[in-house]
Amino acid sequence: MQRYFVQQKANNDHFIIDEEDRHHIVKVMRMEINDRIICVDPEGKQAVCSLSEITNSSVVADVVQWIDESPELPISITIASGLPKGDKLEWIIQKGTELGAQQFLPFSAARSVVKWDEKKAAKKIDRWQKIAKEAAEQSHRTILPSIINPMSFKDLLKKSNDFDYKLAAYEEESRQGETSVLSSTLKKMKNGESLLIVFGPEGGLAEEEVQHLKDCGFGLCGLGPRILRTETAPLYSLAAISYHFELLR
């Protein structure tokens, strides 16, 4: 069944779906009365619903059955990416959403070739958010990941105080054979806690940035013996986190 993130909670077991999702249901999927979908409300509650009314402005979906199980990771993961070139960040957001990330935080790193253009900011963020929404629907998420406005490295350091744990993937640690920091951090974490992981752009994190991260309490972690691309490293980390919390029992 097609999944939709609705903007409001159900009212008397009725969901109202409008705007782009209404268009998708009616024009793209060509659904009719009594067809079934899954609705996810702003609190992450999901339900199987049956379409009961279709108008020019909205679709009404009646709750048939609430779904109790959740596909979400037990901890909250925020991926902070040094602004990369081309569409690499779109790839990170799409695949990172499928793998369970809850937030994406782009930042301007010393070695970022791309410079953030404030004039194009709103359009860019809307596109990223749409990519996250479509990926969340496809992967049956109950949480719609958020895209934080790109910020400076200095502001990233300030923002890091909002998290329970914080790590930075650093290729020099991989070269030196570091293997324990990510694993030991995950072992300490409890359900509901938050983790921020920082990844550099194509050229990696500058030594000065690494020192600032250490001074702010970040752990530096390696991601295995191979050096990963900026768009691959976040996905490797999310897969490792999923294995630790969801498969390693």
Side-chain angles (χ1 to χ4, degrees):
M1 282 180 283
Q2 191 73 27
R3 175 175 298 251
Y4 295 95
F5 287 88
V6 295
Q7 298 178 2
Q8 297 178 337
K9 295 194 294 184
N11 184 7
N12 293 323
D13 279 348
H14 303 298
F15 283 106
I16 306 297
I17 303 170
D18 54 17
E19 299 178 350
E20 288 187 7
D21 286 338
R22 182 259 172 205
H23 174 83
H24 189 268
I25 289 171
V26 177
K27 300 297 184 181
V28 179
M29 300 302 294
R30 298 188 180 279
M31 292 186 185
E32 300 176 350
I33 299 299
N34 295 326
D35 283 347
R36 293 194 173 189
I37 61 174
I38 294 177
C39 291
V40 185
D41 74 9
E43 294 181 352
K45 297 178 181 177
Q46 54 183 334
V48 175
C49 299
S50 175
L51 302 188
S52 61
E53 184 179 350
I54 299 174
T55 71
N56 291 332
S57 59
S58 65
V59 170
V60 178
D62 297 342
V63 174
V64 176
Q65 180 181 6
W66 290 97
I67 304 171
D68 292 329
E69 66 266 18
S70 172
E72 298 298 330
L73 285 166
I75 62 173
S76 172
I77 308 296
T78 296
I79 300 296
S81 295
L83 284 168
K85 295 184 292 185
D87 59 359
K88 292 178 182 178
L89 188 56
E90 294 182 4
W91 173 266
I92 293 169
I93 290 170
Q94 182 187 63
K95 301 308 175 187
T97 295
E98 293 178 30
L99 288 166
Q102 282 202 19
Q103 284 189 127
F104 297 91
L105 196 170
F107 68 95
S108 296
R111 294 174 178 167
S112 288
V113 175
V114 173
K115 302 304 176 185
W116 182 243
D117 187 349
E118 288 293 344
K119 294 179 181 179
K120 300 178 181 178
K123 188 175 181 180
K124 201 81 169 178
I125 293 169
D126 283 347
R127 173 166 173 75
W128 291 339
Q129 195 64 65
K130 184 177 181 180
I131 289 170
K133 179 176 181 291
E134 291 174 352
E137 290 170 346
Q138 182 274 323
S139 56
H140 289 198
R141 296 284 302 273
T142 57
I143 293 175
L144 183 57
S146 59
I147 316 297
I148 301 174
N149 281 12
M151 60 181 64
S152 67
F153 180 75
K154 183 178 180 181
D155 287 337
L156 168 66
L157 295 179
K158 294 178 183 177
K159 181 70 175 175
S160 71
N161 294 322
D162 297 343
F163 298 86
D164 297 310
Y165 294 87
K166 42 196 179 182
L167 297 173
Y170 187 40
E171 59 193 35
E172 291 303 322
E173 297 297 316
S174 292
R175 287 194 178 100
Q176 294 171 21
E178 192 287 310
T179 59
S180 65
V181 173
L182 176 60
S183 176
S184 62
T185 300
L186 297 180
K187 287 177 181 177
K188 289 186 288 186
M189 293 190 70
K190 300 175 183 176
N191 289 2
E193 292 187 319
S194 59
L195 171 63
L196 170 67
I197 313 181
V198 172
F199 301 89
E202 287 86 354
L205 294 167
E207 289 185 13
E208 184 180 52
E209 290 173 326
V210 172
Q211 188 57 53
H212 285 310
L213 289 166
K214 289 172 66 176
D215 293 342
C216 286
F218 279 78
L220 302 183
C221 63
L223 299 177
R226 294 165 294 281
I227 303 304
L228 305 176
R229 291 178 181 269
T230 185
E231 68 270 31
T232 309
L235 308 185
Y236 175 100
S237 302
L238 286 165
I241 292 168
S242 173
Y243 176 78
H244 177 88
F245 284 102
E246 298 174 322
L247 298 181
L248 186 62
R249 300 182 184 279

